[in-house]
Each structure stands twice: as structure tokens, then as C-alpha cells.
Amino acid sequence: MRRGLKQFKIEEMTVFHNYYGTTNGSKLYEDDEFSSNLKPKTCYFPRRYVLVILGFIGMFNVYAMRVNLSVAMVAMVNQTTDKNSSIHQITECPNLLPNEPQNKTIFKGDQYNWDTTAQGHILGSFFYGYIATQLPGGILSEKFGAKWLFGGGVLVTAVLSLLTPVAASWGTAAFIVVRVLEGLGEGVTFPAINFAISTWAPKIERSRLSTLIFTGNQFGNVVSMSISGVLCSTDFLGGWPSCFYVFGAIGCVWFLFWGGLIYETPASHPSISKEELFFIEQNKDEKPKEKAAIPWKSIFTSVPMWALVFAHIGHNFGFLILLTEMPTYLSSILHFDLKSNGVLSALPYIAQALTAWVASYIADKLRKSNKLSITTIRKVFNSIGLFGPAICLIGITVSGCRPELIVVLLTFAMAFNGCVYSGFNVTHVDMCPEYAGTTFAITMAISNFSGIIGPAIVGYFTSNGQTIANWSDVFYTAAGVYTVCGAIFAGFGSAELQSWGTTTEKSKTDAKPEKEMKELEVKNHR
């Protein structure tokens, strides 16, 4: 940590010295009082990293509060409701039947007689609210700022999570209403945090800071699914209701830290160092002081923007299918004991986060070196992130009843997918920092229909039985979507600053290739 902070100080002081240079042989910052403020501070923790840490925890929590219902639903439903539906179930991979748990888990808490249709409506209701507020979330974050929008979105979701057990006891309709409202609250969080990244992240750190924040999703998924299963089988806070109480409470406590430690912009932060403020301001795209009207026509007629939409669709379609349907595949086809092998179940998402961090570091280093254009960098990493999982899913279709091989392929699929965070996911900020919230909201809203369409496709293919052949059709479909969407972004995507992406004259200068800008900067300082 000490070495990292030292390197951070050296980089920032270098930028400061290069910028101010000399006048008549004397430093511009020779004034004693001013100079003393520029001396490296001991134990100074960069304020943008505070945003990253709390942003990571915030994303962790919103995802944990989203997926905990998938686990809790098993405990909430009276298992005798659909008892007869599995009598004629086809048994695949009978040699793996010994892997199934011998002792059935006993869940705690009230149970409800929800059939599969009711369960589907409850699980899907979140996405109706989630999709509805993403575009408004992007617009509002650009107009009023991201701090309170992101924080408020997490807080609303947390409070509703605390109310979930009560709503369930009132009936299916009340439960669905709460889930829709929870989706409305969470819908603003993704575009809001993306806009905060455009405000706080320097260009040469953009991939890393964005990736660190967004990989909170993977850890939220891993922790929520693991802990929720344990909580549902204990007497703590009544059994399954504890899933909603624990993560709801964490969200409320997190909001106190977010509200007290985070500021809308670096310039408004009262304790940010002059070095860090200068480093951020000199390494980000210019934003106008007065907001212009959002160029809707230019956005929706932009070819790179639509390439970005397709890239987001490809990622979300495959990711949501793997997230929501893999437990069913592993248990029904491979008779995989998810509870006893929790580490293996979490492994793909851990691999995705670790790969995302490594990829983001490499992407930022490549950008800083100017060896590749930013568009090439984004396309390379996005191609790995979408074509890689497609190949792995095809591999699963020919793996038969070999659970170890299939888990390895799933792990590699998610690991490759981690590269998209240095691909399309941060391209919104690259191509239009002024409208990063709006553009992310557009691609997110369109792509999240996958949360509704994906499970429906799985249901269609597996309607006549949980068989290897039927699941192969699911994997072929996901691989096809990955491939087509990845090819569209590789062919038509762009991470260059778009003509409609800013309204300032300064930004037109910034649109020049970074290598050219660097040469111009060196020439001016001679």
C-alpha cells in the first residue's frame, strides 16, 4: 500500500510540474505558502479511491438484494405444491445420482402455495421496475448529479428489502408490488454510478476504476447466494426472512457512509489534495458548465451507439442466463449438490471478477503507452469477453456427463466474460462523457429485456423435459447471441469521442488521437 501511494504521489507531482513548467527560469509555484500545500502529505488516501470502495460496496449490495430472492424462493414455497409435476421427469446422467444430497435441507419460516407460474411472475416482476427507471436515472444523474441518485437508489432498495417478508405475508400481489418498486429503486443505480465514474476517473485509470466498482456485482452474487442458503436453514430472524433483513440493513448502514464521505465532483471535495484534484482535472474529458439539451436524434442515429447497444445485449443475455439458470442445469442434469459445493458454484463469478481486474490494468497500461488506439483496446477486450464464453458454451454441449469439465468450462466462460468491463462497459464514458449516464441507461434498459426473454427461452427449450439435448439448444442460442453481438461491436463500435458527445470547443481538441495530443503537449512545454 505504501509503495502504491508513493507511486501515486510521484505521478501526480510529475503531471503538475509538466503543466506549470518554468517562467524565466523560476518555478511558477515558488510561493512558500503555495509550495507548502503541494508537499506530499503523509497518510493521504486518494479521494477517488474512496468513491471506488464505496461504489464497489454499493454495487455489491444492490446485486445481493436482487439475487437473494432466487435462493429464498426455494425456502418460501411449499414444496408439495408442485409435487406431481416431477413424477415423469427424465433422469439424465444416472451415474451422477450419488452426488445428490442424501439429507434434505429443512428451511425455516412461513411457506406459501405458489405454483411455478406465480413464482415466475414474482421473480420477473423486479425487471419491470428495473427497466423503467434506467433511462430516467441517466438523465437525472446528468442534470442533478450522481451522488444522491445512486445513494437514494440503494437506500430505497434496502428499505424495501426490509419490508419484503411483511409484503409476502400480505399476499402474492403485495409481494409483486414490492419487487416492482425495488426494481424502480435499483434501476437508477447503474447509470448514476457510470456518470460518477465519468466525473471522478482520470482517463489513464478509467478501465481500472470502472471495473473495480462494477465487479461488486459478482461478489454480491457470490456472497448473497452462499449466505442466503445458510440463513434460510437457521432460526436467525425467523429463517428465510433474514436474507432480506441482513442485506437490507447493510444497505441502510452503507448509505450513511456514502452520504458523509462522497462528494459530487472532485472540486467540491473539502479535503482533496491539490495534486489529486489537478491530476483528475487534467486527465479527463472536458464537460460544459452549462448543460445542453440531450441530442436524442444524434444518439439514436449513431452507428457506434447501436454497436454499443448490441454489445450490451450480448453480455446481458448470456450472463443472465448463466446467472439464473445454471443452478437448475447443474442440479437437474448433473445432480450437482450446490449447497455442499458452494465454492465450486461461486468459482465462475470469482474468476470473472479477478479476470476483470487484470484486464482493466492491462487496458489502462496499453492506453497510457499509446501503442494502440482506445477503440482498438476496447474492441480487443470486448471480443475476448463475448467470443470466449461462446466457445466455452459450445464446449459444454459436447461434454456429456462430466461435471468437472463442465464446471471448468463455465469458469473459463465467466473469466473471459470479465474482459467486457474493459470493453463495451466503459466505452460509454470514452465516446460521450457528457452523456455517459444517458447512454449507459439506454443500452442497459434495452439489454435488460434479456432478463425477461432469457428465462422464457430456457422454459421453451426445456418444456418437455430437463435433458442434455434441450439444454444444448439453450447453450447454442446463448453462444449465437454472444457471437453475433460481439461481431457487431468489433465491426462498427468506436471508443473515440463522438461529435455529439460534447458541446464544448475544448472537447473538439480532446477528440484528437491521444498520441497526437501528447506530442503537442511536449512541444508546447519546450
Side-chain angles (χ1 to χ4, degrees), residues 235-468:
D235 291 318
F236 178 66
L237 296 176
W240 63 257
S242 60
C243 299
F244 303 100
Y245 294 146
V246 168
F247 292 109
I250 292 174
C252 293
V253 173
W254 169 89
F255 178 77
L256 298 177
F257 286 92
W258 177 266
L261 298 176
I262 300 301
Y263 290 81
E264 197 63 61
T265 64
S268 65
H269 201 297
S271 63
I272 192 171
S273 70
K274 288 183 171 63
E275 300 96 323
E276 181 180 11
L277 177 59
F278 188 84
F279 181 68
I280 294 173
E281 293 299 328
Q282 290 304 118
N283 282 279
K284 72 176 186 179
D285 299 292
E286 184 80 6
K287 290 185 180 181
K289 294 181 179 178
E290 295 183 4
K291 294 292 293 184
I294 297 174
W296 295 109
K297 181 178 179 181
S298 297
I299 290 175
F300 282 105
T301 56
S302 169
V303 173
M305 179 63 190
W306 280 105
L308 200 54
V309 169
F310 277 100
H312 211 149
I313 290 173
H315 166 67
N316 263 12
F317 185 85
F319 178 75
L320 291 175
I321 281 184
L322 293 178
L323 175 67
T324 59
E325 303 297 337
M326 272 305 95
T328 301
Y329 170 76
L330 292 173
S331 62
S332 63
I333 302 296
L334 303 181
H335 311 287
F336 196 74
D337 181 4
L338 297 177
K339 184 176 179 181
S340 300
N341 296 280
V343 175
L344 289 179
S345 302
L347 189 60
Y349 303 102
I350 295 173
Q352 184 186 38
L354 294 177
T355 303
W357 292 346
V358 173
S360 67
Y361 177 81
I362 296 172
D364 279 340
K365 286 295 182 183
L366 287 172
R367 183 169 192 176
K368 189 175 181 180
S369 70
N370 289 305
K371 292 180 179 179
L372 296 174
S373 70
I374 185 59
T375 295
T376 301
I377 293 170
R378 299 300 182 221
K379 287 184 176 182
V380 167
F381 282 95
N382 199 72
S383 296
I384 295 172
L386 295 185
F387 295 149
I391 295 172
C392 291
L393 291 182
I394 296 298
I396 291 176
T397 65
V398 296
S399 296
C401 297
R402 288 176 283 184
E404 294 82 5
L405 175 59
I406 290 173
V407 169
V408 168
L409 288 171
L410 283 173
T411 301
F412 272 101
M414 297 305 287
F416 285 130
N417 189 239
C419 292
V420 299
Y421 293 100
S422 296
F424 85 88
N425 198 72
V426 72
T427 301
H428 306 78
V429 182
D430 293 322
M431 64 191 293
C432 46
E434 185 179 341
Y435 305 113
T438 295
T439 54
F440 193 90
I442 291 171
T443 64
M444 190 75 171
I446 296 174
S447 67
N448 267 307
F449 279 100
S450 302
I452 300 172
I453 298 172
I457 290 176
V458 174
Y460 171 78
F461 282 125
T462 61
S463 59
N464 64 343
Q466 298 282 345
T467 67
I468 291 178

Side-chain angles (χ1 to χ4, degrees), residues 72 74-77 106-112 162 164-166 168-169 227-246:
V74 178
M76 297 170 73
V77 175
I106 300 176
F107 296 112
K108 306 291 183 177
D110 295 334
Q111 293 187 326
Y112 306 98
L162 293 173
T164 295
V166 176
S169 68
I227 293 180
S228 295
V230 175
L231 291 174
C232 287
S233 58
T234 67
D235 291 318
F236 178 66
L237 296 176
W240 63 257
S242 60
C243 299
F244 303 100
Y245 294 146
V246 168

